[in-house]
Amino acid sequence: MATTAQTSVKTAVPKRRLSERKRDNLFAYLFISPFFIIFGIFGLYPILFTIYLSFFKWDALNPMKYIGLQNYQFVLEDSIFWTSFSNTLLISVMGTIPQLILALLIAIFLNSAFTKFKQAFRVLFFMPNITSIVAVALVFSAIYSNNGMGNWLLDIFGLDAVAWNSGWWGVKIAIATMIMWRWTGYNMVIYLSGLQSIPADLYEAARIDGAGRFQQMIHITLPLLKPFIIFTVMMSTIGSLQLFTEPYVFLGQSGTSSLRSEGITMVNYLYSEAFSNSFFGTAAATAVILLVFTIMFSMINMWASNKLGGDTEG
């Protein structure tokens, strides 16, 4: 009898522990469930519905009509789409590469022990990132107007005026400038946090060994900042592929109609198909293609980063 009682007690304890563990797991899932619910409603469902919609013809008023891959065929055969693709890549290169280099140089400058008013400079450089992009685009529209500050500066140096809001290169330079002005401070803060994580002992040892500032930057700063540089390049690539507000506000609604060839981006093309032409199926197909491009360029960045990291270790 005693043995039977002991056995029943031993089996009851694991069951009790198991039920307590299930209850703890249930509470844990309940606490994290709001994130998954919100993500499912505002993240996963729109993605799945967009993919579904890309196979249909729909103007948001009449019933959907299944047309298979015709939306994708139309987009991929549309010369305007490929113009928007080339514009997006060109503006991205013009606005991203100088921006990241400038952000790194500013971060190194602000991280210097000899810089006065460091906190004020950090706030000053980060301010453009929290400024309304519509207000930024309106200000730059005034700067790059025919009689704006841009042409005034060119006139001072004896150069011809540029059609900033209609010329092929003028539009791209103006939009790239807006991107640089807005996002340089954001990337600068990321680089600055990376610089502050580098131990000062490494620089002290390098100075004792006779290394100059440039050598310290090449052999200490840049290698240890590699994770931060990879992150900013990745995020800048994804953000540049989603470029919309700057060209739309800078060019006005004409940026998606009469001035397509100068400044339209892929997201402008998507917006035009959906809300100007009421071709929501074509717009959905464009969104799926844009998603594929984003994944592809992200994978290229990851491959290049891993290759660079492997070469450095070797």
Side-chain angles (χ1 to χ4, degrees):
M1 296 294 294
T3 304
T4 304
Q6 291 177 356
T7 304
S8 62
V9 170
K10 290 181 180 180
T11 55
V13 171
K15 288 182 179 179
R16 183 182 302 172
R17 290 178 179 176
L18 184 62
S19 61
E20 291 178 355
R21 186 181 304 172
K22 287 183 178 179
R23 185 179 60 185
D24 293 340
N25 291 338
L26 178 61
F27 280 116
Y29 286 126
L30 287 176
F31 281 123
I32 65 175
S33 62
F35 166 78
F36 292 100
I37 294 173
I38 295 174
F39 173 76
I41 296 174
F42 297 101
L44 184 61
Y45 172 74
I47 294 174
L48 297 178
F49 182 74
T50 299
I51 297 173
Y52 173 78
L53 181 59
S54 66
F55 298 102
F56 290 83
K57 180 180 180 181
W58 187 48
D59 60 359
L61 297 176
N62 298 310
M64 294 183 180
K65 179 182 178 182
Y66 178 78
I67 58 174
L69 298 175
Q70 292 183 22
N71 287 326
Y72 292 95
Q73 181 180 358
F74 173 82
V75 173
L76 295 176
E77 293 179 353
D78 190 0
S79 60
I80 298 175
F81 170 76
W82 291 110
T83 299
S84 70
F85 175 75
S86 62
N87 286 344
T88 302
L89 291 186
L90 189 57
I91 294 173
S92 300
V93 172
M94 295 171 60
T96 300
I97 296 178
Q99 168 204 146
L100 295 178
I101 296 174
L102 183 60
L104 179 59
L105 295 177
I106 294 174
I108 293 174
F109 171 74
L110 293 181
N111 194 55
S112 173
F114 303 99
T115 304
K116 296 181 179 180
F117 309 109
K118 284 196 285 189
Q119 295 296 335
F121 278 115
R122 292 172 186 175
V123 174
L124 180 65
F125 281 112
F126 189 74
M127 281 293 291
N129 185 253
I130 62 176
T131 305
S132 170
I133 185 58
V134 176
V136 172
L138 291 175
V139 171
F140 274 87
S141 297
I143 293 175
Y144 287 114
S145 64
N146 293 332
N147 298 321
M149 185 181 297
N151 284 331
W152 175 72
L153 290 174
L154 292 177
D155 184 64
I156 291 178
F157 292 99
L159 301 175
D160 296 332
V162 176
W164 300 106
N165 56 0
S166 60
W168 179 265
W169 284 107
V171 169
K172 293 175 177 57
I173 293 173
I175 296 174
T177 305
M178 280 187 276
I179 297 172
M180 289 179 57
W181 186 84
R182 184 166 186 244
W183 292 104
T184 298
Y186 173 83
N187 291 311
M188 178 271 297
V189 170
I190 296 176
Y191 289 148
L192 189 60
S193 64
L195 288 171
Q196 292 177 346
S197 67
I198 299 176
D201 297 342
L202 296 177
Y203 293 104
E204 184 66 26
R207 281 192 293 268
I208 294 174
D209 292 337
R213 288 184 177 273
F214 181 77
Q215 292 176 318
Q216 295 175 25
M217 182 173 167
I218 296 298
H219 298 289
I220 298 177
T221 304
L222 292 182
L224 295 180
L225 276 182
K226 188 187 301 180
F228 299 89
I229 294 175
I230 292 173
F231 173 78
T232 54
V233 170
M234 181 76 70
M235 297 305 296
S236 298
T237 301
I238 296 174
S240 61
L241 291 174
Q242 300 174 355
L243 183 63
F244 170 76
T245 309
E246 289 87 346
Y248 184 79
V249 178
F250 179 70
L251 298 174
Q253 293 190 3
S254 60
T256 55
S257 56
S258 61
L259 294 179
R260 285 179 183 270
S261 60
E262 284 81 6
I264 187 172
T265 63
M266 286 190 288
V267 182
N268 290 136
Y269 177 87
L270 186 158
Y271 180 88
S272 177
E273 289 297 312
F275 299 104
S276 296
N277 302 327
S278 297
F279 296 153
F280 287 92
T282 306
T286 306
V288 174
I289 295 172
L290 178 59
L291 175 63
V292 172
F293 281 144
T294 302
I295 295 174
M296 184 175 64
F297 281 106
S298 299
M299 292 178 65
I300 292 174
N301 279 335
M302 292 177 64
W303 173 82
S305 301
N306 292 332
K307 184 175 177 58
L308 181 61
D311 293 342
T312 302
E313 292 176 1

